[in-house]
PDB file of all heavy atoms in Angstrom:
ATOM      1  N   GLY M   9     107.195 161.815 -35.064  1.00 98.00           N
ATOM      2  CA  GLY M   9     107.200 163.152 -35.669  1.00 98.00           C
ATOM      3  C   GLY M   9     108.581 163.432 -36.220  1.00 98.00           C
ATOM      4  O   GLY M   9     109.529 163.654 -35.458  1.00 98.00           O
ATOM      5  N   SER M  10     108.720 163.398 -37.536  1.00 98.00           N
ATOM      6  CA  SER M  10     110.056 163.517 -38.128  1.00 98.00           C
ATOM      7  C   SER M  10     109.967 164.170 -39.495  1.00 98.00           C
ATOM      8  O   SER M  10     109.068 163.877 -40.278  1.00 98.00           O
ATOM      9  CB  SER M  10     110.669 162.112 -38.264  1.00 98.00           C
ATOM     10  OG  SER M  10     111.951 162.181 -38.816  1.00 98.00           O
ATOM     11  N   THR M  11     110.910 165.057 -39.778  1.00 98.00           N
ATOM     12  CA  THR M  11     110.972 165.690 -41.107  1.00 98.00           C
ATOM     13  C   THR M  11     112.159 165.145 -41.899  1.00 98.00           C
ATOM     14  O   THR M  11     112.027 164.790 -43.067  1.00 98.00           O
ATOM     15  CB  THR M  11     111.108 167.220 -40.969  1.00 98.00           C
ATOM     16  OG1 THR M  11     110.002 167.694 -40.207  1.00 98.00           O
ATOM     17  CG2 THR M  11     111.104 167.898 -42.327  1.00 98.00           C
ATOM     18  N   LEU M  12     113.307 165.077 -41.239  1.00 97.00           N
ATOM     19  CA  LEU M  12     114.534 164.716 -41.956  1.00 97.00           C
ATOM     20  C   LEU M  12     114.974 163.272 -41.694  1.00 97.00           C
ATOM     21  O   LEU M  12     115.970 162.819 -42.240  1.00 97.00           O
ATOM     22  CB  LEU M  12     115.666 165.685 -41.569  1.00 97.00           C
ATOM     23  CG  LEU M  12     115.358 167.166 -41.836  1.00 97.00           C
ATOM     24  CD1 LEU M  12     116.427 168.061 -41.230  1.00 97.00           C
ATOM     25  CD2 LEU M  12     115.248 167.418 -43.339  1.00 97.00           C
ATOM     26  N   GLY M  13     114.257 162.577 -40.817  1.00 98.00           N
ATOM     27  CA  GLY M  13     114.526 161.151 -40.644  1.00 98.00           C
ATOM     28  C   GLY M  13     115.141 160.739 -39.313  1.00 98.00           C
ATOM     29  O   GLY M  13     115.114 159.557 -38.971  1.00 98.00           O
ATOM     30  N   ALA M  14     115.717 161.684 -38.554  1.00 98.00           N
ATOM     31  CA  ALA M  14     116.423 161.282 -37.323  1.00 98.00           C
ATOM     32  C   ALA M  14     115.454 160.706 -36.285  1.00 98.00           C
ATOM     33  O   ALA M  14     115.739 159.669 -35.668  1.00 98.00           O
ATOM     34  CB  ALA M  14     117.184 162.476 -36.737  1.00 98.00           C
ATOM     35  N   ALA M  15     114.314 161.360 -36.087  1.00 98.00           N
ATOM     36  CA  ALA M  15     113.357 160.854 -35.087  1.00 98.00           C
ATOM     37  C   ALA M  15     112.726 159.543 -35.567  1.00 98.00           C
ATOM     38  O   ALA M  15     112.407 158.671 -34.758  1.00 98.00           O
ATOM     39  CB  ALA M  15     112.286 161.908 -34.807  1.00 98.00           C
ATOM     40  N   GLU M  16     112.574 159.429 -36.879  1.00 98.00           N
ATOM     41  CA  GLU M  16     112.031 158.180 -37.435  1.00 98.00           C
ATOM     42  C   GLU M  16     113.008 157.024 -37.148  1.00 98.00           C
ATOM     43  O   GLU M  16     112.595 155.946 -36.713  1.00 98.00           O
ATOM     44  CB  GLU M  16     111.857 158.376 -38.940  1.00 98.00           C
ATOM     45  CG  GLU M  16     111.077 157.286 -39.611  1.00 98.00           C
ATOM     46  CD  GLU M  16     110.835 157.609 -41.089  1.00 98.00           C
ATOM     47  OE1 GLU M  16     111.137 158.733 -41.548  1.00 98.00           O
ATOM     48  OE2 GLU M  16     110.344 156.724 -41.790  1.00 98.00           O
ATOM     49  N   ALA M  57     110.808 165.100 -33.339  1.00 98.00           N
ATOM     50  CA  ALA M  57     111.707 166.236 -33.529  1.00 98.00           C
ATOM     51  C   ALA M  57     110.874 167.506 -33.408  1.00 98.00           C
ATOM     52  O   ALA M  57     109.642 167.455 -33.259  1.00 98.00           O
ATOM     53  CB  ALA M  57     112.341 166.161 -34.914  1.00 98.00           C
ATOM     54  N   THR M  58     111.545 168.671 -33.458  1.00 98.00           N
ATOM     55  CA  THR M  58     110.856 169.966 -33.549  1.00 98.00           C
ATOM     56  C   THR M  58     111.327 170.637 -34.827  1.00 98.00           C
ATOM     57  O   THR M  58     112.518 170.585 -35.154  1.00 98.00           O
ATOM     58  CB  THR M  58     111.207 170.848 -32.330  1.00 98.00           C
ATOM     59  OG1 THR M  58     110.724 170.221 -31.145  1.00 98.00           O
ATOM     60  CG2 THR M  58     110.586 172.233 -32.450  1.00 98.00           C
ATOM     61  N   HIS M  59     110.400 171.239 -35.558  1.00 98.00           N
ATOM     62  CA  HIS M  59     110.792 171.950 -36.783  1.00 98.00           C
ATOM     63  C   HIS M  59     110.152 173.330 -36.829  1.00 98.00           C
ATOM     64  O   HIS M  59     109.402 173.701 -35.927  1.00 98.00           O
ATOM     65  CB  HIS M  59     110.456 171.118 -38.023  1.00 98.00           C
ATOM     66  CG  HIS M  59     111.553 170.140 -38.327  1.00 98.00           C
ATOM     67  ND1 HIS M  59     112.674 170.464 -39.050  1.00 98.00           N
ATOM     68  CD2 HIS M  59     111.735 168.844 -37.944  1.00 98.00           C
ATOM     69  CE1 HIS M  59     113.482 169.416 -39.107  1.00 98.00           C
ATOM     70  NE2 HIS M  59     112.932 168.425 -38.451  1.00 98.00           N
ATOM     71  N   GLY M  60     110.477 174.080 -37.894  1.00 96.00           N
ATOM     72  CA  GLY M  60     109.958 175.445 -37.999  1.00 96.00           C
ATOM     73  C   GLY M  60     110.416 176.234 -36.788  1.00 96.00           C
ATOM     74  O   GLY M  60     111.530 176.068 -36.307  1.00 96.00           O
ATOM     75  N   ALA M  61     109.550 177.070 -36.263  1.00 92.00           N
ATOM     76  CA  ALA M  61     109.863 177.802 -35.033  1.00 92.00           C
ATOM     77  C   ALA M  61     109.092 177.134 -33.900  1.00 92.00           C
ATOM     78  O   ALA M  61     108.038 177.598 -33.481  1.00 92.00           O
ATOM     79  CB  ALA M  61     109.473 179.269 -35.176  1.00 92.00           C
ATOM     80  N   GLY M  62     109.617 176.006 -33.457  1.00 98.00           N
ATOM     81  CA  GLY M  62     108.982 175.293 -32.342  1.00 98.00           C
ATOM     82  C   GLY M  62     107.759 174.504 -32.733  1.00 98.00           C
ATOM     83  O   GLY M  62     106.862 174.309 -31.914  1.00 98.00           O
ATOM     84  N   LEU M  92     113.583 165.126 -29.808  1.00 98.00           N
ATOM     85  CA  LEU M  92     114.869 165.517 -30.402  1.00 98.00           C
ATOM     86  C   LEU M  92     114.821 167.005 -30.695  1.00 98.00           C
ATOM     87  O   LEU M  92     113.816 167.497 -31.243  1.00 98.00           O
ATOM     88  CB  LEU M  92     115.063 164.823 -31.747  1.00 98.00           C
ATOM     89  CG  LEU M  92     115.568 163.396 -31.791  1.00 98.00           C
ATOM     90  CD1 LEU M  92     115.701 162.961 -33.237  1.00 98.00           C
ATOM     91  CD2 LEU M  92     116.894 163.296 -31.080  1.00 98.00           C
ATOM     92  N   GLY M  93     115.866 167.722 -30.353  1.00 98.00           N
ATOM     93  CA  GLY M  93     115.880 169.148 -30.665  1.00 98.00           C
ATOM     94  C   GLY M  93     117.290 169.690 -30.670  1.00 98.00           C
ATOM     95  O   GLY M  93     118.259 168.975 -30.395  1.00 98.00           O
ATOM     96  N   ASP M  94     117.365 170.972 -30.978  1.00 98.00           N
ATOM     97  CA  ASP M  94     118.637 171.683 -31.065  1.00 98.00           C
ATOM     98  C   ASP M  94     118.578 172.806 -30.023  1.00 98.00           C
ATOM     99  O   ASP M  94     117.717 173.690 -30.097  1.00 98.00           O
ATOM    100  CB  ASP M  94     118.750 172.231 -32.493  1.00 98.00           C
ATOM    101  CG  ASP M  94     119.993 173.062 -32.729  1.00 98.00           C
ATOM    102  OD1 ASP M  94     120.526 173.625 -31.744  1.00 98.00           O
ATOM    103  OD2 ASP M  94     120.409 173.186 -33.897  1.00 98.00           O
ATOM    104  N   TYR M  97     118.022 176.701 -30.344  1.00 98.00           N
ATOM    105  CA  TYR M  97     116.697 177.314 -30.523  1.00 98.00           C
ATOM    106  C   TYR M  97     116.085 177.621 -29.157  1.00 98.00           C
ATOM    107  O   TYR M  97     116.176 176.807 -28.230  1.00 98.00           O
ATOM    108  CB  TYR M  97     115.745 176.357 -31.250  1.00 98.00           C
ATOM    109  CG  TYR M  97     116.035 176.155 -32.716  1.00 98.00           C
ATOM    110  CD1 TYR M  97     116.931 175.186 -33.140  1.00 98.00           C
ATOM    111  CD2 TYR M  97     115.389 176.936 -33.683  1.00 98.00           C
ATOM    112  CE1 TYR M  97     117.182 174.987 -34.491  1.00 98.00           C
ATOM    113  CE2 TYR M  97     115.643 176.738 -35.028  1.00 98.00           C
ATOM    114  CZ  TYR M  97     116.542 175.765 -35.423  1.00 98.00           C
ATOM    115  OH  TYR M  97     116.789 175.572 -36.760  1.00 98.00           O
ATOM    116  N   THR M  99     113.139 177.514 -28.755  1.00 98.00           N
ATOM    117  CA  THR M  99     112.024 176.565 -28.725  1.00 98.00           C
ATOM    118  C   THR M  99     112.554 175.129 -28.660  1.00 98.00           C
ATOM    119  O   THR M  99     112.048 174.238 -29.332  1.00 98.00           O
ATOM    120  CB  THR M  99     111.181 176.745 -30.011  1.00 98.00           C
ATOM    121  OG1 THR M  99     112.089 176.757 -31.124  1.00 98.00           O
ATOM    122  CG2 THR M  99     110.393 178.029 -29.968  1.00 98.00           C
ATOM    123  N   PHE M 100     113.586 174.936 -27.824  1.00 98.00           N
ATOM    124  CA  PHE M 100     114.219 173.613 -27.716  1.00 98.00           C
ATOM    125  C   PHE M 100     113.165 172.553 -27.351  1.00 98.00           C
ATOM    126  O   PHE M 100     112.465 172.670 -26.350  1.00 98.00           O
ATOM    127  CB  PHE M 100     115.324 173.651 -26.657  1.00 98.00           C
ATOM    128  CG  PHE M 100     115.962 172.318 -26.393  1.00 98.00           C
ATOM    129  CD1 PHE M 100     116.597 171.616 -27.412  1.00 98.00           C
ATOM    130  CD2 PHE M 100     115.934 171.765 -25.121  1.00 98.00           C
ATOM    131  CE1 PHE M 100     117.193 170.377 -27.171  1.00 98.00           C
ATOM    132  CE2 PHE M 100     116.524 170.525 -24.870  1.00 98.00           C
ATOM    133  CZ  PHE M 100     117.156 169.840 -25.902  1.00 98.00           C
ATOM    134  N   CYS M 101     113.064 171.549 -28.209  1.00 98.00           N
ATOM    135  CA  CYS M 101     112.158 170.401 -27.989  1.00 98.00           C
ATOM    136  C   CYS M 101     110.701 170.816 -27.767  1.00 98.00           C
ATOM    137  O   CYS M 101     109.940 170.125 -27.060  1.00 98.00           O
ATOM    138  CB  CYS M 101     112.643 169.532 -26.840  1.00 98.00           C
ATOM    139  SG  CYS M 101     114.108 168.554 -27.261  1.00 98.00           S
ATOM    140  N   ALA M 102     110.306 171.943 -28.363  1.00 98.00           N
ATOM    141  CA  ALA M 102     108.944 172.452 -28.150  1.00 98.00           C
ATOM    142  C   ALA M 102     107.875 171.458 -28.606  1.00 98.00           C
ATOM    143  O   ALA M 102     106.811 171.357 -27.980  1.00 98.00           O
ATOM    144  CB  ALA M 102     108.763 173.785 -28.883  1.00 98.00           C
ATOM    145  N   VAL M 127     120.534 167.415 -30.065  1.00 98.00           N
ATOM    146  CA  VAL M 127     121.319 166.795 -31.141  1.00 98.00           C
ATOM    147  C   VAL M 127     122.682 167.472 -31.320  1.00 98.00           C
ATOM    148  O   VAL M 127     123.581 166.892 -31.934  1.00 98.00           O
ATOM    149  CB  VAL M 127     120.552 166.769 -32.495  1.00 98.00           C
ATOM    150  CG1 VAL M 127     119.331 165.868 -32.408  1.00 98.00           C
ATOM    151  CG2 VAL M 127     120.173 168.166 -32.954  1.00 98.00           C
TER     152      VAL M 127
HETATM  153  C1  LIG C 201     114.469 174.104 -40.206  1.00 61.65           C
HETATM  154  C2  LIG C 201     114.713 173.514 -38.842  1.00 61.65           C
HETATM  155  C3  LIG C 201     114.052 174.048 -37.763  1.00 61.65           C
HETATM  156  C4  LIG C 201     114.276 173.520 -36.479  1.00 61.65           C
HETATM  157  N1  LIG C 201     113.626 174.082 -35.391  1.00 61.65           N
HETATM  158  C5  LIG C 201     113.877 173.587 -34.153  1.00 61.65           C
HETATM  159  C6  LIG C 201     113.227 174.163 -33.020  1.00 61.65           C
HETATM  160  O1  LIG C 201     112.436 175.094 -33.106  1.00 61.65           O
HETATM  161  N2  LIG C 201     113.515 173.638 -31.798  1.00 61.65           N
HETATM  162  C7  LIG C 201     114.383 172.583 -31.630  1.00 61.65           C
HETATM  163  O2  LIG C 201     114.595 172.157 -30.499  1.00 61.65           O
HETATM  164  N3  LIG C 201     115.011 172.026 -32.696  1.00 61.65           N
HETATM  165  C8  LIG C 201     114.775 172.494 -33.946  1.00 61.65           C
HETATM  166  N4  LIG C 201     115.392 171.927 -35.025  1.00 61.65           N
HETATM  167  C9  LIG C 201     116.306 170.778 -34.807  1.00 61.65           C
HETATM  168  C10 LIG C 201     115.639 169.439 -35.149  1.00 61.65           C
HETATM  169  O3  LIG C 201     114.579 169.159 -34.254  1.00 61.65           O
HETATM  170  C11 LIG C 201     116.696 168.341 -35.036  1.00 61.65           C
HETATM  171  O4  LIG C 201     117.688 168.565 -36.021  1.00 61.65           O
HETATM  172  C12 LIG C 201     116.120 166.960 -35.210  1.00 61.65           C
HETATM  173  O5  LIG C 201     117.153 166.004 -35.011  1.00 61.65           O
HETATM  174  C13 LIG C 201     115.514 166.750 -36.593  1.00 61.65           C
HETATM  175  O6  LIG C 201     114.877 165.489 -36.581  1.00 61.65           O
HETATM  176  P1  LIG C 201     114.276 164.828 -37.903  1.00 61.65           P
HETATM  177  O7  LIG C 201     115.472 164.405 -38.746  1.00 61.65           O
HETATM  178  O8  LIG C 201     113.539 163.621 -37.417  1.00 61.65           O
HETATM  179  O9  LIG C 201     113.404 165.807 -38.574  1.00 61.65           O
HETATM  180  C14 LIG C 201     115.188 172.445 -36.301  1.00 61.65           C
HETATM  181  C15 LIG C 201     115.840 171.909 -37.419  1.00 61.65           C
HETATM  182  C16 LIG C 201     115.621 172.437 -38.690  1.00 61.65           C
HETATM  183  C17 LIG C 201     116.366 171.848 -39.868  1.00 61.65           C
END
Side-chain angles (χ1 to χ4, degrees):
S10 180
T11 303
L12 303 171
E16 191 175 352
T58 296
H59 275 276
L92 278 181
D94 177 335
Y97 288 87
T99 48
F100 175 59
C101 287
V127 294

